[in-house]
Amino acid sequence: MKAIAAGLLAALALAAAPALAKPKPVMPVPKPLPVLTPEAQAGVLRDDALQSNAAYQWVSDITTRFGARPAGSAKERAAGEWAAARLKAMGFDTAVVESFPYHAWVRGANDSIEITGPFPQKLAGVALGGSTAGEVEAEAVIFDSWQAFVDSTADVTGKIVVILQPMARSTAGEGYGATSGPIRWAGPMAAQKRGAVGFVMRSLSTDDHRFPHAGATNWSDGKGIPAMAISSPDAEQLGRISAMQRKGEAGPVKIHMTSGAVFPPVGTSVNVVAEIKGSEHPEQVVVIGGHLDSWDLGTGAIDDAAGHAIAIAAAKSILDHGLRPKRTIRVVLWGSEEMSQPEGFGSGGFNYARAHAAEAPNMVAAMEADFGADKVITATLPATADAAYGKTMNRLLTPLGIAIKREPSTEGDSDTDVLYNLGVPCLTLNQDGYDYFNTHHTPDDVLDRIHPENLNQVVAAWSATLWMIAGSDVTFTRPEPAKAEK
Ligand code: ZN
Ligand code: ZN
């Protein structure tokens, strides 16, 4: 205690000394950024981004003006037009809207799901994107897990298959991948194949609120069975009734479900593509972005206004500092990431890669944000023979609390994976996904759930990372193009 007090006094004395001496005020001379080394410039971009709120402001603007932006909807197209105009006004050299054919899917207005026996009550559920409309009432066959359903030989003919598997929580989001993803993607069709007339799943969710989480299932083309996701508490409820049923304390569970899903004729979706032209190698392109569309229940603030706003804010920080990258920075707001599509059609990422495949050899790197608005915790960089690059990135990202992963990246993300398969090196600034699946695809995906200081940290990491690629000559090892594109 004494030592601390003495130290404090000494510090106070030191702090007070200049005031007593009254030195002449010296005006700080602003150093023009271009005379700094690229690493020092990246450091300034990083530090200034921590204060900028630029991404948060973009998320606020787009979600306030347009609300939800479902894949292939008029709202998505309008948001795309607005974004292109806004990016031009921000100082991007070009900003264009690129359309592609798309099959939208529209949720019915009066969807419902309820238990009609043995204990009648309403449930909170939503139809899965791409699933078929219909009204059914049938006995439920309840499975604790996806594997239990797959392994079971139970006759589900004329029944409703219910899968109650909870989703595991983790910072990297593994619980959403291989273990539970197939429930939503493949579940309805697998149940239909076995003769079921309806499909119900526990939402892919890590929260215990009474929000069902939307999400796509494989495109049913209106020829499937009604398929819905129910909230976690409702799944728990069904689990308790199922346990009573097993003990002979309750009769068979009956469920009534209605979905009015509509499959409009083929329309259009859009990608927004904006560029800051490179000064030395304009043909070399660094692709960064996130998706424009969202689910219909919330306003898509976290998924994925935050993602594309991060990319925009990182590029904007370069413009705002009067810097001109050597290579072209291309920001892409990919349309229609969320929904499944019939054969021959695809997401914005798919259509972007198809339209720009000829440029792939000139794409230096691609980076995407589609994992929320919380802080970056690790970085997965592409492989490179440039020994200094990793050390530089380590120096730049460590102050933000970001660790560089030892293993280089071996894939893209949801919209950049197609580019990776064309031989474009991808990198990922991995955000903390511990809470991501609390609000994911729910009515609670709104601006109010975003912490600006977390989003600023992400933009800081992106700004420094982007500048060390676009403002340098670093080259990455190109992945082997995938032999067969699906
Ligand atoms: Zn997303
Ligand atoms: Zn999503």
Side-chain angles (χ1 to χ4, degrees), residues 17-26:
L20 290 171
K22 282 208 176 138
K24 264 183 153 176
V26 181

Side-chain angles (χ1 to χ4, degrees), residues 143-207:
F143 299 93
D144 292 337
S145 69
W146 172 245
Q147 198 57 48
F149 165 71
V150 170
D151 293 344
S152 157
T153 53
D155 182 14
V156 298
T157 309
K159 297 183 176 162
I160 294 173
V161 166
V162 179
I163 297 179
L164 297 182
Q165 179 174 312
M167 182 185 151
R169 182 192 279 276
S170 81
T171 47
E174 291 97 336
Y176 190 66
T179 50
S180 60
I183 306 172
R184 203 183 71 206
W185 282 102
M189 278 187 194
Q192 184 184 14
K193 234 181 192 167
R194 285 170 58 170
V197 295
F199 179 84
V200 177
M201 64 179 286
R202 178 177 176 141
S203 290
L204 300 184
S205 155
T206 51
D207 74 88

Side-chain angles (χ1 to χ4, degrees), residues 273-305:
V273 182
E275 286 190 343
I276 303 171
K277 295 273 187 229
S279 60
E280 284 183 28
H281 312 288
E283 77 292 353
Q284 295 180 12
V285 179
V286 185
V287 177
I288 59 169
H291 67 86
L292 172 66
D293 64 316
S294 76
W295 277 100
D296 51 351
L297 306 176
T299 62
I302 295 173
D303 184 15
D304 189 28

